[in-house]
Amino acid sequence: MFLFANVLGIFVFIAIAVLFSRDKKNIQWRSVGIVLAIELVLAWFFTQFKAGQVAVQGAADGFNWLVSVASQGIAFALPEWLTSNHGGPNFVTSALLPILLVVPLFDILTYIGILPWLIKWIGKALTFVTGQPKFEAFFSIEMMFLGNTEVLAVSKSQLDHMSASRNFTLAMMSMSCVTSAIIGAYTQMVPGKYVLTAIPLNILGAIVITSILNPNKVAPEDDIIVNINEKGTKKEPFFSFLGDSILGAGKLILIITATVIAFVSLAALINQLFSLTGLHWLTLENIFGVIMFPFAWLLGFNVHDAFQLAQFMGTKLVTNEFVVMGEVSKSIMAGKGLFANEHARIVLTVFLTSFTNFGTIGMIIGAFKGLVNKEKNDYISARVPYMLLSGILVSLLSAATAGLFVW
């Protein structure tokens, strides 16, 4: 029965996208079908085959190794921070401070041209297989490594060239971004192999959902990639570049820390205000649990587990993934309670591994405001609910495809 619900969920999530599509007649079903099939095959490969499991576990171990290397710098500068939690890891030292190593590392890979090269050729391969416009396929790969504002910022020339509708597609896709800088943080709080499984599934899911919600017919003369690397500009000196990267990493840590503290505190305040009504069941978690419950049930759970999972999903949308990961980390890593079930572990981990939340909308709108003209920015700003819908549907679709093969 639960397997049937999981399969049904995939069709329901696609149907919701069709229901809200802005141009149902022009949905390219052949392309959508190919990408969805690839997503299912990848989920099957990563979860059912030894080679796939070894690949994602190896990648997760690599990020964990980076975190362990970063801890040497933390131990030198702030040794007491590593022992203050009875010798165990805490959110700042295990999830945030390693960003000071990971961000510069990936920026160096970009500086010397390795990361752009990978993005370029993988993007071209995806275009060839799926029939997607060149830049949309390129962007989907690029966003696997960069944050949503970063991936948009390096694409300014392309955004200027593209129509407002295609810019809107990129805005929706950006809701499903993660950034390589914090993958290591994720793998410290939830199973790393599932985090690394979620990332390619989100890429393909973003293509599927945005192709349905916002179909675009792109003429051959417009299907080009414009000045992505801004050739002809003088490269910044390496150590100046590295210094900026380190400062950027520090700012990122402060932003995440401030956001987590503020959102957890605001959620607690709202729950305290709700408690004044005398209705002990009235909490943010329960409210969003009710909203997300039918979708959680369609991921293959009984009523009790679905409601509990839905509360975590709703909290993630209101706050961010770090808040929920911090809350469930001990249980999910130990396989206790709801998470004694491996299906629950992979479904929630995959759902959490994206930037889909209310705060991300503001970041994306802010980025477009500084990158494109007023007409394009207003076009995107007028369609904010579609951005949130896209992000939620991609997360649900990725969780459903991954959970389909793990019970």
Side-chain angles (χ1 to χ4, degrees), residues 151-164:
V151 71
L152 291 170
V154 300
S155 305
K156 185 181 188 319
S157 298
Q158 187 74 36
L159 300 180
D160 290 337
H161 174 80
M162 293 164 59
S163 67

Side-chain angles (χ1 to χ4, degrees), residues 21-97:
S21 174
R22 299 183 60 250
D23 188 2
K24 296 180 179 63
K25 293 181 180 179
N26 285 318
I27 296 174
Q28 300 177 42
W29 284 111
R30 181 178 178 275
S31 176
V32 168
I34 290 172
V35 179
L36 182 59
I38 294 173
E39 184 171 1
L40 288 166
V41 169
L42 278 183
W44 181 47
F45 175 71
F46 287 144
T47 58
Q48 296 299 303
F49 287 87
K50 186 68 175 178
Q53 294 168 2
V54 168
V56 294
Q57 187 60 55
D61 289 343
F63 278 102
N64 289 335
W65 174 78
L66 276 177
V67 171
S68 68
V69 172
S71 67
Q72 296 180 32
I74 300 169
F76 174 79
L78 302 163
E80 64 279 3
W81 285 29
L82 294 174
T83 58
S84 60
N85 189 28
H86 305 289
N90 59 67
F91 178 70
V92 173
T93 57
S94 66
L96 295 185
L97 292 183

Side-chain angles (χ1 to χ4, degrees), residues 130-282:
T130 66
Q132 288 291 307
K134 291 177 183 176
F135 187 76
E136 279 80 339
F138 181 94
F139 186 86
S140 69
I141 298 299
E142 196 173 27
M143 76 178 195
M144 181 168 65
F145 298 98
L146 303 174
N148 41 31
T149 54
E150 292 86 350
V151 71
L152 291 170
V154 300
S155 305
K156 185 181 188 319
S157 298
Q158 187 74 36
L159 300 180
D160 290 337
H161 174 80
M162 293 164 59
S163 67
S165 182
R166 289 181 70 191
N167 271 256
F168 178 52
T169 293
L170 301 186
M172 289 194 293
M173 293 177 74
S174 297
M175 292 293 293
S176 301
C177 267
V178 294
T179 173
S180 298
I182 60 174
I183 293 175
Y186 291 164
T187 62
Q188 296 301 294
M189 294 185 286
V190 291
K193 61 182 180 179
Y194 296 152
V195 171
L196 273 298
T197 296
I199 293 170
L201 297 186
N202 282 343
I203 291 171
L204 297 170
I207 294 174
V208 169
I209 296 301
T210 57
S211 295
I212 296 174
L213 285 175
N214 189 45
N216 281 291
K217 282 190 174 181
V218 181
E221 61 270 20
D222 293 325
D223 191 15
I224 58 176
I225 296 178
V226 180
N227 296 326
I228 295 302
N229 294 317
E230 298 186 1
K231 293 181 180 179
T233 59
K234 185 178 180 181
K235 183 177 285 190
E236 183 181 3
F238 176 75
F239 286 103
S240 174
F241 167 85
L242 182 60
D244 289 342
S245 175
I246 294 170
L247 288 175
K251 291 177 182 177
L252 179 60
I253 291 172
L254 291 175
I255 290 169
I256 294 173
T257 302
T259 302
V260 169
I261 292 173
F263 274 118
V264 170
S265 300
L266 285 171
L269 174 62
I270 292 171
N271 283 336
Q272 287 295 319
L273 293 175
F274 283 156
S275 70
L276 298 177
T277 65
L279 302 173
H280 299 295
W281 53 266
L282 187 59

